[in-house]
Amino acid sequence: MQVEIRGAEKLSFRERQVVTLKEMGYSTEKIAAKLKLSPSSVATLFNRARTKGYQVVIVIPGQNLGLFGPEDEEEVGE
């Protein structure tokens, strides 16, 4: 699985950190402890990032879902 943040170039380094951890399911308190920030700073960074607009996309290869095997890859190009 790969996580991609589209529009990340609009975000500051700290906003990217917060967004990444938040989208991975970490709580505000855990993010604050990990980044050595206050919970209110984490909330501010996350809200600021949301106003700048970004999209989180999860890329899951088909074989990880058990949908495609090596023999199916040849069919896709046909």
Side-chain angles (χ1 to χ4, degrees):
M1 181 173 74
Q2 177 183 348
V3 176
E4 179 183 316
I5 300 174
R6 293 185 181 162
E9 67 280 353
K10 301 175 194 174
L11 307 178
S12 71
F13 179 74
R14 277 297 206 198
E15 289 168 345
R16 287 179 201 176
Q17 288 180 314
V18 168
V19 164
T20 300
L21 293 171
K22 198 72 158 157
E23 296 294 346
M24 290 175 66
Y26 285 83
S27 69
T28 297
E29 291 74 22
K30 291 223 185 227
I31 296 169
K34 187 171 191 69
L35 299 180
K36 297 179 177 47
L37 298 170
S38 70
S40 65
S41 292
V42 170
T44 298
L45 287 163
F46 186 64
N47 288 330
R48 190 182 316 152
R50 289 176 56 195
T51 65
K52 291 181 180 181
Y54 68 88
Q55 279 185 312
V56 176
V57 179
I58 299 173
V59 180
I60 304 172
Q63 64 268 23
N64 289 0
L65 297 174
L67 299 175
F68 304 104
E71 66 281 354
D72 294 323
E73 289 183 16
E74 293 176 12
E75 293 177 18
V76 173
E78 294 177 3

